[in-house]
Short mmCIF file of all heavy atoms in Angstrom, two decimals:
data_model
loop_
_atom_site.label_atom_id
_atom_site.label_comp_id
_atom_site.label_asym_id
_atom_site.label_seq_id
_atom_site.Cartn_x
_atom_site.Cartn_y
_atom_site.Cartn_z
N ASN A 30 0.81 -1.15 -0.05
CA ASN A 30 -0.01 0.03 -0.10
C ASN A 30 0.89 1.21 -0.03
O ASN A 30 0.53 2.24 -0.65
CB ASN A 30 -0.87 -0.03 1.23
CG ASN A 30 -1.92 -1.12 1.17
OD1 ASN A 30 -2.39 -1.51 0.07
ND2 ASN A 30 -2.41 -1.64 2.30
N LEU A 31 1.98 1.27 0.72
CA LEU A 31 2.84 2.38 0.82
C LEU A 31 3.38 2.71 -0.39
O LEU A 31 3.31 3.97 -0.92
CB LEU A 31 3.97 1.98 1.83
CG LEU A 31 5.01 3.12 2.03
CD1 LEU A 31 4.39 4.37 2.77
CD2 LEU A 31 6.18 2.55 2.81
N GLU A 32 3.88 1.78 -1.27
CA GLU A 32 4.42 2.12 -2.53
C GLU A 32 3.41 2.51 -3.55
O GLU A 32 3.65 3.42 -4.40
CB GLU A 32 5.25 0.82 -3.06
CG GLU A 32 6.36 0.50 -2.22
CD GLU A 32 7.20 -0.57 -2.83
OE1 GLU A 32 7.02 -0.94 -3.99
OE2 GLU A 32 8.08 -1.22 -2.13
N VAL A 33 2.23 2.03 -3.46
CA VAL A 33 1.18 2.49 -4.43
C VAL A 33 0.91 3.97 -4.16
O VAL A 33 0.75 4.69 -5.14
CB VAL A 33 -0.09 1.58 -4.15
CG1 VAL A 33 -1.36 2.24 -4.95
CG2 VAL A 33 0.07 0.16 -4.72
N VAL A 34 0.66 4.31 -2.96
CA VAL A 34 0.51 5.81 -2.58
C VAL A 34 1.66 6.60 -3.12
O VAL A 34 1.37 7.66 -3.78
CB VAL A 34 0.35 5.92 -1.08
CG1 VAL A 34 0.27 7.37 -0.72
CG2 VAL A 34 -0.97 5.19 -0.60
N ILE A 35 2.85 6.28 -2.93
CA ILE A 35 3.92 7.03 -3.28
C ILE A 35 4.04 7.12 -4.83
O ILE A 35 4.18 8.28 -5.26
CB ILE A 35 5.26 6.47 -2.78
CG1 ILE A 35 5.38 6.64 -1.22
CG2 ILE A 35 6.47 7.13 -3.42
CD1 ILE A 35 6.47 5.97 -0.62
N MET A 36 3.93 6.11 -5.58
CA MET A 36 3.96 6.03 -6.95
C MET A 36 2.77 6.91 -7.64
O MET A 36 3.01 7.52 -8.63
CB MET A 36 3.94 4.68 -7.52
CG MET A 36 5.20 3.85 -7.28
SD MET A 36 6.68 4.61 -8.04
CE MET A 36 7.59 5.24 -6.65
N GLU A 37 1.62 6.84 -6.96
CA GLU A 37 0.50 7.64 -7.50
C GLU A 37 0.69 9.10 -7.34
O GLU A 37 0.29 9.88 -8.14
CB GLU A 37 -0.81 7.17 -6.75
CG GLU A 37 -1.37 5.90 -7.22
CD GLU A 37 -2.65 5.48 -6.51
OE1 GLU A 37 -3.00 6.16 -5.40
OE2 GLU A 37 -3.33 4.52 -6.89
N THR A 38 1.44 9.50 -6.33
CA THR A 38 1.54 10.91 -5.89
C THR A 38 2.66 11.46 -6.73
O THR A 38 2.54 12.82 -7.00
CB THR A 38 1.77 11.11 -4.40
OG1 THR A 38 0.78 10.33 -3.68
CG2 THR A 38 1.76 12.53 -3.98
N LEU A 39 3.75 10.82 -7.03
CA LEU A 39 4.85 11.48 -7.69
C LEU A 39 4.43 12.03 -9.04
O LEU A 39 3.86 11.34 -9.87
CB LEU A 39 5.91 10.41 -7.94
CG LEU A 39 6.59 9.95 -6.64
CD1 LEU A 39 7.65 8.82 -6.93
CD2 LEU A 39 7.36 11.13 -6.00
N PRO A 40 4.83 13.32 -9.31
CA PRO A 40 4.44 13.96 -10.58
C PRO A 40 5.41 13.75 -11.68
O PRO A 40 5.94 14.65 -12.37
CB PRO A 40 4.44 15.47 -10.09
CG PRO A 40 5.54 15.52 -9.12
CD PRO A 40 5.56 14.22 -8.32
N PHE A 41 5.81 12.42 -11.96
CA PHE A 41 6.73 12.10 -12.96
C PHE A 41 6.06 11.11 -13.99
O PHE A 41 5.07 10.44 -13.62
CB PHE A 41 7.99 11.53 -12.37
CG PHE A 41 8.73 12.52 -11.55
CD1 PHE A 41 9.02 12.19 -10.23
CD2 PHE A 41 9.14 13.71 -11.96
CE1 PHE A 41 9.80 12.98 -9.36
CE2 PHE A 41 9.84 14.61 -11.18
CZ PHE A 41 10.17 14.24 -9.87
N SER A 42 6.77 10.94 -15.14
CA SER A 42 6.29 9.94 -16.01
C SER A 42 6.57 8.54 -15.48
O SER A 42 7.49 8.43 -14.57
CB SER A 42 7.14 10.13 -17.43
OG SER A 42 8.46 9.83 -17.11
N GLU A 43 5.91 7.54 -16.08
CA GLU A 43 6.12 6.15 -15.57
C GLU A 43 7.45 5.70 -15.72
O GLU A 43 8.06 4.94 -14.82
CB GLU A 43 5.16 5.20 -16.34
CG GLU A 43 3.65 5.42 -16.08
CD GLU A 43 3.33 5.23 -14.54
OE1 GLU A 43 3.87 4.31 -13.91
OE2 GLU A 43 2.54 6.05 -14.05
N GLU A 44 8.24 6.16 -16.76
CA GLU A 44 9.63 5.71 -17.00
C GLU A 44 10.49 6.37 -15.77
O GLU A 44 11.32 5.64 -15.29
CB GLU A 44 10.10 6.35 -18.25
CG GLU A 44 11.54 6.00 -18.58
CD GLU A 44 12.07 6.77 -19.72
OE1 GLU A 44 11.31 7.41 -20.48
OE2 GLU A 44 13.30 6.60 -20.02
N ASN A 45 10.24 7.60 -15.49
CA ASN A 45 10.98 8.20 -14.47
C ASN A 45 10.62 7.73 -13.05
O ASN A 45 11.46 7.83 -12.16
CB ASN A 45 10.87 9.77 -14.53
CG ASN A 45 11.97 10.37 -15.44
OD1 ASN A 45 12.87 9.59 -15.91
ND2 ASN A 45 11.85 11.64 -15.54
N LYS A 46 9.40 7.27 -12.89
CA LYS A 46 9.01 6.57 -11.58
C LYS A 46 9.88 5.38 -11.36
O LYS A 46 10.34 5.03 -10.31
CB LYS A 46 7.56 6.39 -11.57
CG LYS A 46 6.75 7.66 -11.28
CD LYS A 46 5.27 7.29 -11.31
CE LYS A 46 4.35 8.48 -11.18
NZ LYS A 46 2.92 8.18 -11.18
N THR A 47 10.03 4.56 -12.51
CA THR A 47 10.89 3.45 -12.34
C THR A 47 12.33 3.70 -12.10
O THR A 47 12.91 3.11 -11.31
CB THR A 47 10.80 2.60 -13.72
OG1 THR A 47 9.33 2.34 -13.95
CG2 THR A 47 11.47 1.29 -13.60
N ILE A 48 12.81 4.78 -12.78
CA ILE A 48 14.19 5.25 -12.62
C ILE A 48 14.34 5.67 -11.20
O ILE A 48 15.35 5.39 -10.48
CB ILE A 48 14.56 6.36 -13.57
CG1 ILE A 48 14.65 5.81 -15.01
CG2 ILE A 48 15.93 6.92 -13.27
CD1 ILE A 48 14.84 6.83 -16.09
N LEU A 49 13.33 6.46 -10.69
CA LEU A 49 13.44 6.99 -9.33
C LEU A 49 13.52 5.87 -8.30
O LEU A 49 14.30 5.88 -7.37
CB LEU A 49 12.17 7.84 -8.98
CG LEU A 49 12.10 8.42 -7.58
CD1 LEU A 49 13.30 9.39 -7.39
CD2 LEU A 49 10.80 9.18 -7.43
N ARG A 50 12.73 4.82 -8.48
CA ARG A 50 12.73 3.63 -7.61
C ARG A 50 14.10 2.95 -7.58
O ARG A 50 14.75 2.66 -6.58
CB ARG A 50 11.68 2.69 -7.90
CG ARG A 50 11.61 1.41 -6.95
CD ARG A 50 10.75 0.30 -7.46
NE ARG A 50 9.33 0.84 -7.55
CZ ARG A 50 8.60 0.92 -8.73
NH1 ARG A 50 9.29 0.70 -9.95
NH2 ARG A 50 7.29 1.39 -8.76
N GLN A 51 14.70 2.81 -8.75
CA GLN A 51 15.97 2.14 -8.94
C GLN A 51 17.21 2.97 -8.33
O GLN A 51 17.97 2.60 -7.63
CB GLN A 51 16.29 1.87 -10.44
CG GLN A 51 15.30 0.82 -11.05
CD GLN A 51 15.50 0.81 -12.54
OE1 GLN A 51 16.15 1.66 -13.18
NE2 GLN A 51 14.86 -0.19 -13.15
N GLU A 52 17.11 4.28 -8.70
CA GLU A 52 18.13 5.21 -8.22
C GLU A 52 18.07 5.37 -6.70
O GLU A 52 19.13 5.44 -6.11
CB GLU A 52 17.93 6.58 -8.95
CG GLU A 52 18.41 6.63 -10.34
CD GLU A 52 19.93 6.56 -10.50
OE1 GLU A 52 20.48 7.57 -10.31
OE2 GLU A 52 20.35 5.48 -10.85
N THR A 53 16.87 5.53 -6.15
CA THR A 53 16.73 5.70 -4.68
C THR A 53 17.40 4.50 -4.07
O THR A 53 18.01 4.67 -2.99
CB THR A 53 15.33 5.78 -4.29
OG1 THR A 53 14.72 6.95 -5.02
CG2 THR A 53 15.13 5.97 -2.81
N ARG A 54 17.02 3.27 -4.45
CA ARG A 54 17.78 2.06 -3.82
C ARG A 54 19.16 2.13 -3.94
O ARG A 54 19.87 1.83 -2.97
CB ARG A 54 17.10 0.86 -4.37
CG ARG A 54 17.74 -0.47 -3.77
CD ARG A 54 17.02 -1.62 -4.37
NE ARG A 54 17.78 -2.87 -4.08
CZ ARG A 54 17.79 -3.49 -2.88
NH1 ARG A 54 17.05 -2.92 -1.98
NH2 ARG A 54 18.46 -4.56 -2.77
#
């Protein structure tokens, strides 16, 4: 649930959301 909320809220494209997840880790 936590990740769904974060991904829905972020104002980025789907590609950059994936990059953000990878880069953050």
Side-chain angles (χ1 to χ4, degrees):
N30 295 331
L31 180 65
E32 293 188 14
V33 168
V34 171
I35 293 174
M36 289 298 111
E37 285 180 350
T38 308
L39 289 174
F41 298 125
S42 64
E43 291 303 317
E44 177 190 359
N45 268 358
K46 288 180 182 180
T47 301
I48 292 175
L49 179 62
R50 185 189 296 112
Q51 296 169 349
E52 287 286 285
T53 301
R54 178 175 169 77

